[in-house]
Short mmCIF file of all heavy atoms in Angstrom, two decimals:
data_model
loop_
_atom_site.label_atom_id
_atom_site.label_comp_id
_atom_site.label_asym_id
_atom_site.label_seq_id
_atom_site.Cartn_x
_atom_site.Cartn_y
_atom_site.Cartn_z
N SER A 19 113.39 121.41 98.30
CA SER A 19 114.21 121.56 99.46
C SER A 19 115.29 120.40 99.65
O SER A 19 116.39 120.76 99.94
CB SER A 19 113.35 121.58 100.68
OG SER A 19 112.47 122.86 100.70
N GLY A 34 115.12 112.77 93.29
CA GLY A 34 114.03 112.88 92.46
C GLY A 34 112.67 112.33 93.20
O GLY A 34 112.66 112.09 94.36
N GLY A 36 109.40 109.72 93.31
CA GLY A 36 109.07 108.40 92.96
C GLY A 36 107.81 108.04 93.71
O GLY A 36 107.05 108.97 94.21
N ILE A 44 110.24 110.88 98.04
CA ILE A 44 111.44 111.55 97.57
C ILE A 44 112.43 110.29 97.36
O ILE A 44 112.54 109.40 98.28
CB ILE A 44 111.97 112.52 98.49
CG1 ILE A 44 111.04 113.76 98.54
CG2 ILE A 44 113.43 112.92 98.03
CD1 ILE A 44 111.40 114.72 99.64
N TYR A 47 119.36 108.79 95.26
CA TYR A 47 120.26 107.83 94.69
C TYR A 47 121.66 108.17 95.16
O TYR A 47 122.12 109.33 95.09
CB TYR A 47 120.25 107.97 93.06
CG TYR A 47 118.91 107.45 92.53
CD1 TYR A 47 117.90 108.38 92.27
CD2 TYR A 47 118.72 106.17 92.28
CE1 TYR A 47 116.75 107.95 91.79
CE2 TYR A 47 117.54 105.70 91.65
CZ TYR A 47 116.52 106.65 91.51
OH TYR A 47 115.33 106.17 90.98
N ASP A 52 126.92 101.79 101.11
CA ASP A 52 127.94 101.70 102.23
C ASP A 52 128.40 103.03 102.73
O ASP A 52 129.07 103.10 103.77
CB ASP A 52 129.04 100.86 101.73
CG ASP A 52 128.70 99.38 101.49
OD1 ASP A 52 127.76 98.94 102.03
OD2 ASP A 52 129.35 98.75 100.61
N SER A 58 122.81 109.88 107.11
CA SER A 58 122.35 111.18 107.33
C SER A 58 121.02 111.59 106.64
O SER A 58 120.39 112.56 106.85
CB SER A 58 123.42 112.20 106.78
OG SER A 58 124.60 112.00 107.38
N SER A 61 114.31 109.16 106.90
CA SER A 61 113.29 108.32 106.24
C SER A 61 112.06 109.19 105.88
O SER A 61 111.25 108.59 105.10
CB SER A 61 112.97 107.09 107.22
OG SER A 61 112.30 107.65 108.41
N ASP A 72 120.64 102.62 95.69
CA ASP A 72 122.02 102.58 95.22
C ASP A 72 122.17 102.87 93.73
O ASP A 72 121.43 102.09 92.98
CB ASP A 72 122.63 101.18 95.52
CG ASP A 72 124.15 101.12 95.42
OD1 ASP A 72 124.64 101.83 94.54
OD2 ASP A 72 124.75 100.29 96.09
N ALA A 73 122.89 103.90 93.35
CA ALA A 73 123.05 104.22 91.99
C ALA A 73 124.02 103.36 91.25
O ALA A 73 124.11 103.50 89.99
CB ALA A 73 123.33 105.74 91.78
N SER A 76 128.95 106.60 90.47
CA SER A 76 128.64 107.93 90.13
C SER A 76 127.79 107.92 88.80
O SER A 76 127.90 107.24 87.94
CB SER A 76 129.97 108.74 89.77
OG SER A 76 130.78 108.84 90.97
#
Side-chain angles (χ1 to χ4, degrees):
S19 294
I44 296 171
Y47 292 91
D52 295 332
S58 302
S61 61
D72 190 331
S76 295

